[in-house]
Amino acid sequence: MKRLLGGSIHRHTLFVSLLPAVLIAFLLTGYFTLARLQSLQEELANAGQLIASQLAPAAEFSVISGNMQVLDPMLKGLLKHPHIAFIEIYDNQDQRLTRVEKAQVQSNADLTFEAQITRQNIALDPLFLSSIVLAPTPTQEETIGHVLIGMTDSALKKQQLDILLRALWLILLTLFLIWALAYFLARS
């Protein structure tokens, strides 16, 4: 260490005083980078469950009627999302009614999200149904199928790599600034 810093007590003092700044720079950059990477993972999970939960009520009519072509434009639109690998819709006997997937993804979804498709009960007003005796509407919703969303983290890995590269540049910039400060203080 004596050869690295030179023999001057001034340089030793600068080294000892700037070492905490370097450590703090590393620790803070590492902490905020890891926090951002974790928030990306949580964001992907929340988006997947939200998409599944929103698609389930939209698929109710198609599951009841068996007309899956009604859902095709919506499913193809959802596949434009960079994280979605496939979408499957099942009936209450777990028979797959439809599956759409991205062509370039080999169906290797890292995360899957599921939401139940329930038949929504609508209470009808007897004034509009003059001759029909209405049976009481059940209060419990009936599950008629489920939606399965498969998501891949390939786009997430690209975002994580970008974040790591930015953090690396930030650390290198910080180290350069600390080195420049130490160099100019040591010369004076």
Side-chain angles (χ1 to χ4, degrees):
M1 184 161 113
K2 198 171 192 179
R3 280 189 236 166
L4 178 68
L5 297 175
S8 160
I9 188 76
H10 185 66
R11 288 189 180 181
H12 287 279
T13 307
L14 277 175
F15 176 75
V16 169
S17 64
L18 292 176
L19 183 65
V22 171
L23 290 176
I24 288 172
F26 275 119
L27 288 175
L28 286 177
T29 304
Y31 172 76
F32 287 117
T33 302
L34 289 176
R36 180 64 184 135
L37 293 177
Q38 185 178 9
S39 72
L40 278 177
Q41 287 281 12
E42 290 172 4
E43 185 180 314
L44 179 67
N46 289 338
Q49 190 58 52
L50 181 67
I51 291 169
S53 297
Q54 294 294 321
L55 182 59
E60 176 190 8
F61 173 75
S62 296
V63 171
I64 291 172
S65 67
N67 187 1
M68 289 295 133
Q69 288 78 24
V70 173
L71 281 179
D72 281 344
M74 184 182 351
L75 297 179
K76 291 195 187 324
L78 283 173
L79 280 180
K80 292 178 185 174
H81 191 282
H83 299 295
I84 294 180
F86 68 86
I87 302 169
E88 294 177 345
I89 298 178
Y90 292 88
D91 64 3
N92 58 354
Q93 282 96 25
D94 284 336
Q95 293 178 344
R96 186 169 62 195
L97 300 175
T98 188
R99 177 185 170 98
V100 292
E101 61 185 333
K102 287 186 179 175
Q104 69 270 21
V105 178
Q106 300 168 358
S107 188
N108 56 347
D110 299 318
L111 301 167
T112 56
F113 300 95
E114 184 177 357
Q116 301 296 322
I117 302 171
T118 57
R119 177 178 291 178
Q120 298 187 9
N121 300 318
I122 301 170
L124 299 175
D125 192 4
L127 293 176
F128 297 110
L129 303 170
S130 60
S131 64
I132 301 174
V133 178
L134 291 176
T137 31
T139 56
Q140 186 177 5
E141 292 182 339
E142 174 189 359
T143 301
I144 58 173
H146 63 275
V147 172
L148 189 68
I149 305 284
M151 298 188 83
T152 181
D153 64 351
S154 61
L156 178 73
K157 287 180 183 176
K158 184 176 182 270
Q159 289 175 334
Q160 288 176 338
L161 181 63
D162 289 343
I163 289 172
L164 288 174
L165 288 176
R166 279 190 222 136
L168 179 66
W169 281 112
L170 181 65
I171 287 175
L172 290 176
L173 177 68
T174 304
L175 285 176
F176 176 74
L177 291 176
I178 290 173
W179 176 82
L181 178 67
Y183 180 75
F184 287 122
L185 288 176
R187 290 193 64 171
S188 61

